[in-house]
Amino acid sequence: MSAGAVYTIVEREFKRFFRQRGRFLSSLARPLFWLFVVGPGLGRLIRSPGDVAYQQFLFPGVLGIVVLFGSILSSLSTVYDREFGTLRIMLVAPISRLTIVTGKTLSGALLSVAQGWILLVLAPFLGLKIGPAQLLAISLYLFLASIAIASLGMLMTTRIDSLENYSTIMNFVVFPMFFLSGGLYPVKLLPALLRYVVYLNPLTYGIDLFKHALLPAAASGSLGTDISLPLDVSVLVLFTGIAMALATLLFDKEAKLVKRAEPRA
Amino acid sequence: MAFADSAAIEAVELVKQFGSLTAVGGVSFAVQPGELFGLLGPNGSGKTTTIHMLCTLLRPTTGTARVNSCDVVAQPLQVRRAIGLVFQETTLDRDLTAYENLLFTAYLHHIPRADAQERILELLKVMELADRRNELVRKLSGGLKRRLDIAQGVLHRPKILFLDEPTIGLDPRSRAAVWGFIGRLRQGGMTILHTTHYLEEAERSDRVGIIDRGKLIALGPPVELKKASNRPSLNEVFLHLTGRKIQESQTE
Ligand SMILES: Nc1ncnc2c1ncn2[C@@H]1O[C@H](COP(=O)(O)OP(=O)(O)OP(=O)(O)O)[C@@H](O)[C@H]1O
Ligand SMILES: [Mg+2]
């Protein structure tokens, strides 16, 4: 694997992210909507037990949204790259497929971490205190969650031909992943069947990690964490490894690599 | 193998099928180091598919090919180290500047930063793009974009260069500029395989392979091809060999 090539793929992704103003602004607006529109509304309905207000409980979930959208959208940009040809430049360069998959996955992960940091600035306004140690922990957790989701996104891009499938992915992957993640309600309160689905979702483990770092006061209460920290970390690391390996393998399938040459009329 | 060891590119009975469609149906040829080789053929004849197989982007269904003496299936990375490829469609990132696009390519080819900057500026100057280097690609005209595509393909100074319709969509002035640049690359000893359906461009090649429906139907220096079928132009050679015109709309 080539570090220089990975670096330049990541650098390009960052440049694009900040230049595509719509994408940048909606990445900022999305979590704010949940925190300051949905949060207070639901917070009125839900009398939360213990020391944690619903809005505080929601914060790790909103970080989860940032991670989910940030990572998936970045990975899906690979489909754009294929359509607009930049992927070909990577494919004909003397670098391995693994380098490309790593570069794109890492781009998504680091972009999400950056977006997560921006959101963390708001944590004090919700009465969540973040010290240096917590900041370090949450950065690491953000990275673990983001890279897992980004590698899932990469795996998905190997299966789709064009962005016509974009809204399908939003409706059948992204939104369900968020609603079935423990970000909006504690996993332990869900019916057994749904709980199993939630535990199949990698985002659940990421959001649970954020709860470990941000809601220590609630550790024992019903709004606290659902899974042990070592299990969260293990699942995310394992998931990332498997998804990236699969993405690299499937990425190698030529039909997906080069855009079909359309016969010109 | 039928070809000399020294060949820069050698294709032996290359076949590529997409489902039931045979895009390339058994093509063999060799390109010598330093040669300018043209693949001439109508739309859909298999030029791009052939190039993609030689550049390790598509796996041949059957047949073999060696580029810079490396097998395209068994040693793809070694092949990619030796080649540059300018795709038929632009591959530039429209959200990056001209300079940033080239820097991206430079790093993908492991060119160190200091070298990269120097080479890019030099190349931009040769391509008469130097004063536009900090503009976003989406703002450049088609002709400038195409020149930038070519710059992207040669930045790492490949031994062997593949140009898939390098002058497509360009006006005569830009086409002349591109051919001027190709001339300079040849003087530097680069082996070049290009595709085209502009006949006067095919004429510039040392040798031409005429490809039709995935088959090579003629191969040789343009002069000899014309002499062999006793026709004054490659256009008529094609008509003579296939009974069809190479392209109904020759002037784009
Ligand atoms: N990925 C693909 N899947 C299916 N068919 C393909 C694919 N790529 C090319 N083809 C078909 O293979 C044939 C040869 O295409 P190719 O692009 O190699 O022709 P070409 O000579 O480069 O044509 P043009 O002058 O239009 O660029 C065409 O019929 C084309 O539609
Ligand atoms: Mg073509």
mmCIF file of all heavy atoms in Angstrom, chain B residues 123-165:
data_model
loop_
_atom_site.group_PDB
_atom_site.id
_atom_site.type_symbol
_atom_site.label_atom_id
_atom_site.label_comp_id
_atom_site.label_asym_id
_atom_site.label_seq_id
_atom_site.Cartn_x
_atom_site.Cartn_y
_atom_site.Cartn_z
ATOM 1 N N LEU B 123 5.231 21.443 -17.477
ATOM 2 C CA LEU B 123 4.272 20.842 -18.401
ATOM 3 C C LEU B 123 3.134 21.812 -18.741
ATOM 4 O O LEU B 123 2.699 21.915 -19.892
ATOM 5 C CB LEU B 123 3.718 19.563 -17.775
ATOM 6 C CG LEU B 123 3.024 18.558 -18.678
ATOM 7 C CD1 LEU B 123 3.907 18.180 -19.852
ATOM 8 C CD2 LEU B 123 2.672 17.306 -17.878
ATOM 9 N N LEU B 124 2.680 22.521 -17.731
ATOM 10 C CA LEU B 124 1.609 23.499 -17.962
ATOM 11 C C LEU B 124 2.073 24.573 -18.941
ATOM 12 O O LEU B 124 1.302 25.063 -19.758
ATOM 13 C CB LEU B 124 1.161 24.125 -16.646
ATOM 14 C CG LEU B 124 0.296 23.236 -15.746
ATOM 15 C CD1 LEU B 124 0.113 23.871 -14.375
ATOM 16 C CD2 LEU B 124 -1.062 22.966 -16.383
ATOM 17 N N LYS B 125 3.346 24.910 -18.845
ATOM 18 C CA LYS B 125 3.895 25.919 -19.739
ATOM 19 C C LYS B 125 3.897 25.396 -21.182
ATOM 20 O O LYS B 125 3.428 26.063 -22.103
ATOM 21 C CB LYS B 125 5.321 26.290 -19.297
ATOM 22 C CG LYS B 125 5.619 27.769 -19.423
ATOM 23 C CD LYS B 125 6.981 28.103 -18.810
ATOM 24 C CE LYS B 125 6.888 28.333 -17.304
ATOM 25 N NZ LYS B 125 8.219 28.407 -16.670
ATOM 26 N N VAL B 126 4.385 24.165 -21.342
ATOM 27 C CA VAL B 126 4.420 23.556 -22.673
ATOM 28 C C VAL B 126 3.013 23.475 -23.258
ATOM 29 O O VAL B 126 2.793 23.703 -24.449
ATOM 30 C CB VAL B 126 5.032 22.136 -22.595
ATOM 31 C CG1 VAL B 126 4.912 21.433 -23.933
ATOM 32 C CG2 VAL B 126 6.477 22.206 -22.153
ATOM 33 N N MET B 127 2.042 23.172 -22.422
ATOM 34 C CA MET B 127 0.656 23.019 -22.869
ATOM 35 C C MET B 127 -0.068 24.359 -22.978
ATOM 36 O O MET B 127 -1.277 24.378 -23.202
ATOM 37 C CB MET B 127 -0.102 22.108 -21.898
ATOM 38 C CG MET B 127 0.336 20.671 -21.948
ATOM 39 S SD MET B 127 -0.096 19.968 -23.536
ATOM 40 C CE MET B 127 -0.015 18.239 -23.209
ATOM 41 N N GLU B 128 0.653 25.425 -22.725
ATOM 42 C CA GLU B 128 0.069 26.770 -22.744
ATOM 43 C C GLU B 128 -1.131 26.874 -21.812
ATOM 44 O O GLU B 128 -2.180 27.416 -22.147
ATOM 45 C CB GLU B 128 -0.317 27.156 -24.177
ATOM 46 C CG GLU B 128 0.904 27.302 -25.071
ATOM 47 C CD GLU B 128 0.531 27.451 -26.534
ATOM 48 O OE1 GLU B 128 -0.484 28.113 -26.802
ATOM 49 O OE2 GLU B 128 1.260 26.908 -27.389
ATOM 50 N N LEU B 129 -0.935 26.310 -20.631
ATOM 51 C CA LEU B 129 -1.995 26.340 -19.623
ATOM 52 C C LEU B 129 -1.522 27.037 -18.353
ATOM 53 O O LEU B 129 -2.254 27.123 -17.371
ATOM 54 C CB LEU B 129 -2.396 24.905 -19.251
ATOM 55 C CG LEU B 129 -3.357 24.179 -20.170
ATOM 56 C CD1 LEU B 129 -3.315 22.687 -19.899
ATOM 57 C CD2 LEU B 129 -4.772 24.699 -19.968
ATOM 58 N N ALA B 130 -0.275 27.532 -18.394
ATOM 59 C CA ALA B 130 0.346 28.027 -17.166
ATOM 60 C C ALA B 130 -0.486 29.122 -16.491
ATOM 61 O O ALA B 130 -0.668 29.114 -15.275
ATOM 62 C CB ALA B 130 1.756 28.525 -17.455
ATOM 63 N N ASP B 131 -1.034 30.037 -17.289
ATOM 64 C CA ASP B 131 -1.760 31.147 -16.657
ATOM 65 C C ASP B 131 -3.159 30.753 -16.193
ATOM 66 O O ASP B 131 -3.831 31.533 -15.540
ATOM 67 C CB ASP B 131 -1.813 32.354 -17.606
ATOM 68 C CG ASP B 131 -2.321 31.950 -18.981
ATOM 69 O OD1 ASP B 131 -2.141 30.769 -19.341
ATOM 70 O OD2 ASP B 131 -2.906 32.789 -19.679
ATOM 71 N N ARG B 132 -3.590 29.537 -16.531
ATOM 72 C CA ARG B 132 -4.908 29.093 -16.078
ATOM 73 C C ARG B 132 -4.795 28.063 -14.963
ATOM 74 O O ARG B 132 -5.783 27.417 -14.613
ATOM 75 C CB ARG B 132 -5.673 28.459 -17.258
ATOM 76 C CG ARG B 132 -5.656 29.251 -18.542
ATOM 77 C CD ARG B 132 -6.503 30.500 -18.458
ATOM 78 N NE ARG B 132 -7.910 30.229 -18.217
ATOM 79 C CZ ARG B 132 -8.807 30.045 -19.187
ATOM 80 N NH1 ARG B 132 -8.432 30.105 -20.438
ATOM 81 N NH2 ARG B 132 -10.054 29.826 -18.888
ATOM 82 N N ARG B 133 -3.595 27.900 -14.432
ATOM 83 C CA ARG B 133 -3.362 26.744 -13.563
ATOM 84 C C ARG B 133 -4.188 26.749 -12.277
ATOM 85 O O ARG B 133 -4.471 25.698 -11.727
ATOM 86 C CB ARG B 133 -1.874 26.614 -13.223
ATOM 87 C CG ARG B 133 -1.309 27.748 -12.384
ATOM 88 C CD ARG B 133 0.147 27.457 -12.032
ATOM 89 N NE ARG B 133 0.739 28.544 -11.274
ATOM 90 C CZ ARG B 133 1.327 29.584 -11.841
ATOM 91 N NH1 ARG B 133 1.415 29.675 -13.152
ATOM 92 N NH2 ARG B 133 1.844 30.539 -11.089
ATOM 93 N N ASN B 134 -4.585 27.923 -11.807
ATOM 94 C CA ASN B 134 -5.346 27.955 -10.554
ATOM 95 C C ASN B 134 -6.849 28.103 -10.760
ATOM 96 O O ASN B 134 -7.577 28.427 -9.831
ATOM 97 C CB ASN B 134 -4.814 29.070 -9.654
ATOM 98 C CG ASN B 134 -3.414 28.744 -9.169
ATOM 99 O OD1 ASN B 134 -3.095 27.580 -8.885
ATOM 100 N ND2 ASN B 134 -2.549 29.743 -9.093
ATOM 101 N N GLU B 135 -7.271 27.843 -11.981
ATOM 102 C CA GLU B 135 -8.717 27.881 -12.219
ATOM 103 C C GLU B 135 -9.325 26.498 -12.054
ATOM 104 O O GLU B 135 -8.699 25.489 -12.383
ATOM 105 C CB GLU B 135 -8.992 28.370 -13.647
ATOM 106 C CG GLU B 135 -9.169 29.875 -13.713
ATOM 107 C CD GLU B 135 -9.407 30.330 -15.135
ATOM 108 O OE1 GLU B 135 -10.383 29.863 -15.743
ATOM 109 O OE2 GLU B 135 -8.600 31.135 -15.614
ATOM 110 N N LEU B 136 -10.553 26.473 -11.559
ATOM 111 C CA LEU B 136 -11.243 25.187 -11.452
ATOM 112 C C LEU B 136 -11.444 24.615 -12.848
ATOM 113 O O LEU B 136 -11.748 25.342 -13.795
ATOM 114 C CB LEU B 136 -12.606 25.361 -10.779
ATOM 115 C CG LEU B 136 -12.598 25.686 -9.288
ATOM 116 C CD1 LEU B 136 -14.025 25.717 -8.757
ATOM 117 C CD2 LEU B 136 -11.775 24.668 -8.501
ATOM 118 N N VAL B 137 -11.278 23.321 -12.966
ATOM 119 C CA VAL B 137 -11.381 22.678 -14.279
ATOM 120 C C VAL B 137 -12.747 22.897 -14.916
ATOM 121 O O VAL B 137 -12.869 23.022 -16.126
ATOM 122 C CB VAL B 137 -11.050 21.174 -14.150
ATOM 123 C CG1 VAL B 137 -11.566 20.392 -15.335
ATOM 124 C CG2 VAL B 137 -9.546 20.996 -14.010
ATOM 125 N N ARG B 138 -13.787 22.990 -14.058
ATOM 126 C CA ARG B 138 -15.129 23.165 -14.635
ATOM 127 C C ARG B 138 -15.238 24.453 -15.433
ATOM 128 O O ARG B 138 -16.135 24.616 -16.245
ATOM 129 C CB ARG B 138 -16.209 23.093 -13.553
ATOM 130 C CG ARG B 138 -16.130 24.143 -12.466
ATOM 131 C CD ARG B 138 -17.408 24.150 -11.612
ATOM 132 N NE ARG B 138 -17.509 23.010 -10.700
ATOM 133 C CZ ARG B 138 -18.425 22.064 -10.806
ATOM 134 N NH1 ARG B 138 -19.312 22.106 -11.766
ATOM 135 N NH2 ARG B 138 -18.473 21.089 -9.935
ATOM 136 N N LYS B 139 -14.312 25.373 -15.213
ATOM 137 C CA LYS B 139 -14.372 26.649 -15.932
ATOM 138 C C LYS B 139 -13.549 26.648 -17.217
ATOM 139 O O LYS B 139 -13.559 27.626 -17.954
ATOM 140 C CB LYS B 139 -13.888 27.779 -15.019
ATOM 141 C CG LYS B 139 -14.835 28.021 -13.866
ATOM 142 C CD LYS B 139 -14.450 29.245 -13.063
ATOM 143 C CE LYS B 139 -15.410 29.412 -11.901
ATOM 144 N NZ LYS B 139 -14.756 30.062 -10.763
ATOM 145 N N LEU B 140 -12.812 25.577 -17.455
ATOM 146 C CA LEU B 140 -11.966 25.538 -18.652
ATOM 147 C C LEU B 140 -12.762 25.073 -19.873
ATOM 148 O O LEU B 140 -13.711 24.291 -19.750
ATOM 149 C CB LEU B 140 -10.780 24.596 -18.431
ATOM 150 C CG LEU B 140 -9.817 24.958 -17.295
ATOM 151 C CD1 LEU B 140 -8.711 23.916 -17.203
ATOM 152 C CD2 LEU B 140 -9.227 26.341 -17.485
ATOM 153 N N SER B 141 -12.342 25.517 -21.043
ATOM 154 C CA SER B 141 -13.006 25.085 -22.281
ATOM 155 C C SER B 141 -12.634 23.642 -22.595
ATOM 156 O O SER B 141 -11.682 23.094 -22.041
ATOM 157 C CB SER B 141 -12.551 25.974 -23.427
ATOM 158 O OG SER B 141 -11.208 25.681 -23.736
ATOM 159 N N GLY B 142 -13.399 23.027 -23.499
ATOM 160 C CA GLY B 142 -13.146 21.644 -23.869
ATOM 161 C C GLY B 142 -11.727 21.415 -24.363
ATOM 162 O O GLY B 142 -11.091 20.416 -24.018
ATOM 163 N N GLY B 143 -11.224 22.353 -25.155
ATOM 164 C CA GLY B 143 -9.881 22.206 -25.703
ATOM 165 C C GLY B 143 -8.818 22.233 -24.616
ATOM 166 O O GLY B 143 -7.884 21.428 -24.627
ATOM 167 N N LEU B 144 -8.973 23.150 -23.674
ATOM 168 C CA LEU B 144 -7.997 23.230 -22.582
ATOM 169 C C LEU B 144 -8.072 21.993 -21.704
ATOM 170 O O LEU B 144 -7.055 21.463 -21.255
ATOM 171 C CB LEU B 144 -8.247 24.485 -21.742
ATOM 172 C CG LEU B 144 -7.969 25.814 -22.434
ATOM 173 C CD1 LEU B 144 -8.199 26.979 -21.478
ATOM 174 C CD2 LEU B 144 -6.543 25.857 -22.974
ATOM 175 N N LYS B 145 -9.300 21.507 -21.483
ATOM 176 C CA LYS B 145 -9.469 20.300 -20.662
ATOM 177 C C LYS B 145 -8.752 19.125 -21.308
ATOM 178 O O LYS B 145 -8.101 18.333 -20.631
ATOM 179 C CB LYS B 145 -10.960 19.956 -20.538
ATOM 180 C CG LYS B 145 -11.634 20.625 -19.380
ATOM 181 C CD LYS B 145 -13.022 20.045 -19.208
ATOM 182 C CE LYS B 145 -13.929 21.090 -18.628
ATOM 183 N NZ LYS B 145 -15.303 20.998 -19.023
ATOM 184 N N ARG B 146 -8.879 19.033 -22.639
ATOM 185 C CA ARG B 146 -8.271 17.899 -23.318
ATOM 186 C C ARG B 146 -6.750 17.963 -23.195
ATOM 187 O O ARG B 146 -6.092 16.951 -22.986
ATOM 188 C CB ARG B 146 -8.695 17.886 -24.789
ATOM 189 C CG ARG B 146 -8.460 16.557 -25.490
ATOM 190 C CD ARG B 146 -9.214 15.443 -24.797
ATOM 191 N NE ARG B 146 -8.964 14.116 -25.349
ATOM 192 C CZ ARG B 146 -9.039 13.001 -24.645
ATOM 193 N NH1 ARG B 146 -9.324 13.044 -23.364
ATOM 194 N NH2 ARG B 146 -8.817 11.830 -25.217
ATOM 195 N N ARG B 147 -6.215 19.169 -23.316
ATOM 196 C CA ARG B 147 -4.768 19.313 -23.157
ATOM 197 C C ARG B 147 -4.335 18.920 -21.748
ATOM 198 O O ARG B 147 -3.287 18.318 -21.543
ATOM 199 C CB ARG B 147 -4.358 20.765 -23.427
ATOM 200 C CG ARG B 147 -4.042 20.991 -24.890
ATOM 201 C CD ARG B 147 -3.417 22.330 -25.077
ATOM 202 N NE ARG B 147 -4.365 23.225 -25.721
ATOM 203 C CZ ARG B 147 -4.180 24.528 -25.842
ATOM 204 N NH1 ARG B 147 -3.102 25.096 -25.356
ATOM 205 N NH2 ARG B 147 -5.075 25.259 -26.458
ATOM 206 N N LEU B 148 -5.197 19.272 -20.783
ATOM 207 C CA LEU B 148 -4.888 18.917 -19.398
ATOM 208 C C LEU B 148 -4.968 17.390 -19.202
ATOM 209 O O LEU B 148 -4.159 16.807 -18.474
ATOM 210 C CB LEU B 148 -5.880 19.637 -18.478
ATOM 211 C CG LEU B 148 -5.496 19.804 -17.016
ATOM 212 C CD1 LEU B 148 -4.139 20.462 -16.862
ATOM 213 C CD2 LEU B 148 -6.562 20.626 -16.300
ATOM 214 N N ASP B 149 -5.941 16.759 -19.857
ATOM 215 C CA ASP B 149 -6.022 15.295 -19.833
ATOM 216 C C ASP B 149 -4.703 14.683 -20.302
ATOM 217 O O ASP B 149 -4.199 13.728 -19.713
ATOM 218 C CB ASP B 149 -7.116 14.806 -20.803
ATOM 219 C CG ASP B 149 -8.498 14.756 -20.156
ATOM 220 O OD1 ASP B 149 -8.584 14.442 -18.961
ATOM 221 O OD2 ASP B 149 -9.481 15.028 -20.871
ATOM 222 N N ILE B 150 -4.186 15.236 -21.390
ATOM 223 C CA ILE B 150 -2.948 14.694 -21.949
ATOM 224 C C ILE B 150 -1.788 14.939 -20.995
ATOM 225 O O ILE B 150 -0.972 14.050 -20.742
ATOM 226 C CB ILE B 150 -2.682 15.298 -23.343
ATOM 227 C CG1 ILE B 150 -3.792 14.846 -24.306
ATOM 228 C CG2 ILE B 150 -1.311 14.878 -23.874
ATOM 229 C CD1 ILE B 150 -3.762 15.506 -25.669
ATOM 230 N N ALA B 151 -1.767 16.141 -20.409
ATOM 231 C CA ALA B 151 -0.721 16.441 -19.421
ATOM 232 C C ALA B 151 -0.782 15.418 -18.284
ATOM 233 O O ALA B 151 0.243 14.920 -17.813
ATOM 234 C CB ALA B 151 -0.899 17.852 -18.874
ATOM 235 N N GLN B 152 -2.003 15.083 -17.874
ATOM 236 C CA GLN B 152 -2.181 14.125 -16.790
ATOM 237 C C GLN B 152 -1.622 12.750 -17.171
ATOM 238 O O GLN B 152 -1.100 12.033 -16.325
ATOM 239 C CB GLN B 152 -3.682 14.022 -16.490
ATOM 240 C CG GLN B 152 -4.008 13.567 -15.094
ATOM 241 C CD GLN B 152 -5.496 13.618 -14.817
ATOM 242 O OE1 GLN B 152 -6.329 13.532 -15.720
ATOM 243 N NE2 GLN B 152 -5.844 13.747 -13.559
ATOM 244 N N GLY B 153 -1.722 12.411 -18.446
ATOM 245 C CA GLY B 153 -1.248 11.105 -18.905
ATOM 246 C C GLY B 153 0.265 11.002 -19.051
ATOM 247 O O GLY B 153 0.803 9.901 -19.061
ATOM 248 N N VAL B 154 0.934 12.146 -19.180
ATOM 249 C CA VAL B 154 2.388 12.087 -19.441
ATOM 250 C C VAL B 154 3.234 12.644 -18.306
ATOM 251 O O VAL B 154 4.465 12.597 -18.361
ATOM 252 C CB VAL B 154 2.766 12.832 -20.747
ATOM 253 C CG1 VAL B 154 2.046 12.238 -21.940
ATOM 254 C CG2 VAL B 154 2.478 14.320 -20.644
ATOM 255 N N LEU B 155 2.570 13.153 -17.272
ATOM 256 C CA LEU B 155 3.285 13.811 -16.170
ATOM 257 C C LEU B 155 4.387 12.935 -15.571
ATOM 258 O O LEU B 155 5.460 13.407 -15.215
ATOM 259 C CB LEU B 155 2.275 14.202 -15.089
ATOM 260 C CG LEU B 155 2.821 14.953 -13.890
ATOM 261 C CD1 LEU B 155 3.337 16.313 -14.312
ATOM 262 C CD2 LEU B 155 1.755 15.103 -12.819
ATOM 263 N N HIS B 156 4.114 11.641 -15.467
ATOM 264 C CA HIS B 156 5.093 10.746 -14.833
ATOM 265 C C HIS B 156 6.088 10.183 -15.847
ATOM 266 O O HIS B 156 6.822 9.264 -15.532
ATOM 267 C CB HIS B 156 4.355 9.614 -14.106
ATOM 268 C CG HIS B 156 3.453 8.824 -14.991
ATOM 269 N ND1 HIS B 156 2.290 9.331 -15.521
ATOM 270 C CD2 HIS B 156 3.544 7.562 -15.467
ATOM 271 C CE1 HIS B 156 1.705 8.402 -16.274
ATOM 272 N NE2 HIS B 156 2.451 7.328 -16.270
ATOM 273 N N ARG B 157 6.110 10.766 -17.046
ATOM 274 C CA ARG B 157 7.060 10.385 -18.097
ATOM 275 C C ARG B 157 7.085 8.892 -18.360
ATOM 276 O O ARG B 157 8.093 8.201 -18.151
ATOM 277 C CB ARG B 157 8.468 10.880 -17.732
ATOM 278 C CG ARG B 157 8.467 12.380 -17.610
ATOM 279 C CD ARG B 157 9.794 12.915 -17.159
ATOM 280 N NE ARG B 157 9.695 14.360 -16.980
ATOM 281 C CZ ARG B 157 10.497 15.086 -16.224
ATOM 282 N NH1 ARG B 157 11.487 14.510 -15.580
ATOM 283 N NH2 ARG B 157 10.327 16.375 -16.126
ATOM 284 N N PRO B 158 5.949 8.350 -18.792
ATOM 285 C CA PRO B 158 5.873 6.911 -19.032
ATOM 286 C C PRO B 158 6.715 6.507 -20.234
ATOM 287 O O PRO B 158 6.962 7.314 -21.131
ATOM 288 C CB PRO B 158 4.386 6.683 -19.316
ATOM 289 C CG PRO B 158 3.912 7.988 -19.869
ATOM 290 C CD PRO B 158 4.697 9.039 -19.159
ATOM 291 N N LYS B 159 7.149 5.264 -20.237
ATOM 292 C CA LYS B 159 7.883 4.737 -21.393
ATOM 293 C C LYS B 159 6.940 4.539 -22.562
ATOM 294 O O LYS B 159 7.301 4.723 -23.714
ATOM 295 C CB LYS B 159 8.469 3.358 -21.038
ATOM 296 C CG LYS B 159 9.904 3.401 -20.597
ATOM 297 C CD LYS B 159 10.275 2.085 -19.971
ATOM 298 C CE LYS B 159 11.038 1.181 -20.914
ATOM 299 N NZ LYS B 159 11.580 0.013 -20.150
ATOM 300 N N ILE B 160 5.726 4.118 -22.217
ATOM 301 C CA ILE B 160 4.748 3.774 -23.245
ATOM 302 C C ILE B 160 3.466 4.554 -22.978
ATOM 303 O O ILE B 160 2.944 4.535 -21.865
ATOM 304 C CB ILE B 160 4.452 2.264 -23.208
ATOM 305 C CG1 ILE B 160 5.759 1.483 -23.415
ATOM 306 C CG2 ILE B 160 3.416 1.885 -24.253
ATOM 307 C CD1 ILE B 160 5.666 0.023 -23.093
ATOM 308 N N LEU B 161 2.997 5.241 -24.016
ATOM 309 C CA LEU B 161 1.830 6.100 -23.833
ATOM 310 C C LEU B 161 0.674 5.624 -24.709
ATOM 311 O O LEU B 161 0.851 5.354 -25.896
ATOM 312 C CB LEU B 161 2.200 7.543 -24.189
ATOM 313 C CG LEU B 161 1.088 8.585 -24.096
ATOM 314 C CD1 LEU B 161 0.621 8.751 -22.659
ATOM 315 C CD2 LEU B 161 1.574 9.928 -24.643
ATOM 316 N N PHE B 162 -0.498 5.521 -24.106
ATOM 317 C CA PHE B 162 -1.709 5.174 -24.843
ATOM 318 C C PHE B 162 -2.591 6.417 -24.933
ATOM 319 O O PHE B 162 -2.895 7.030 -23.906
ATOM 320 C CB PHE B 162 -2.479 4.065 -24.130
ATOM 321 C CG PHE B 162 -1.747 2.756 -24.098
ATOM 322 C CD1 PHE B 162 -0.817 2.477 -23.097
ATOM 323 C CD2 PHE B 162 -1.981 1.788 -25.060
ATOM 324 C CE1 PHE B 162 -0.136 1.274 -23.064
ATOM 325 C CE2 PHE B 162 -1.307 0.570 -25.040
ATOM 326 C CZ PHE B 162 -0.379 0.312 -24.039
ATOM 327 N N LEU B 163 -2.958 6.775 -26.139
ATOM 328 C CA LEU B 163 -3.808 7.949 -26.331
ATOM 329 C C LEU B 163 -5.093 7.504 -27.017
ATOM 330 O O LEU B 163 -5.080 7.129 -28.189
ATOM 331 C CB LEU B 163 -3.088 8.983 -27.215
ATOM 332 C CG LEU B 163 -1.789 9.587 -26.675
ATOM 333 C CD1 LEU B 163 -1.057 10.332 -27.787
ATOM 334 C CD2 LEU B 163 -2.079 10.529 -25.525
ATOM 335 N N ASP B 164 -6.197 7.523 -26.273
ATOM 336 C CA ASP B 164 -7.460 7.087 -26.858
ATOM 337 C C ASP B 164 -8.193 8.311 -27.409
ATOM 338 O O ASP B 164 -8.801 9.063 -26.669
ATOM 339 C CB ASP B 164 -8.302 6.363 -25.809
ATOM 340 C CG ASP B 164 -9.378 5.483 -26.439
ATOM 341 O OD1 ASP B 164 -9.534 5.523 -27.678
ATOM 342 O OD2 ASP B 164 -10.063 4.753 -25.684
ATOM 343 N N GLU B 165 -8.094 8.498 -28.706
ATOM 344 C CA GLU B 165 -8.675 9.651 -29.402
ATOM 345 C C GLU B 165 -8.277 10.974 -28.728
ATOM 346 O O GLU B 165 -9.127 11.696 -28.214
ATOM 347 C CB GLU B 165 -10.203 9.503 -29.467
ATOM 348 C CG GLU B 165 -10.567 8.146 -30.054
ATOM 349 C CD GLU B 165 -11.942 8.107 -30.691
ATOM 350 O OE1 GLU B 165 -12.488 9.175 -30.991
ATOM 351 O OE2 GLU B 165 -12.443 7.000 -30.908
#
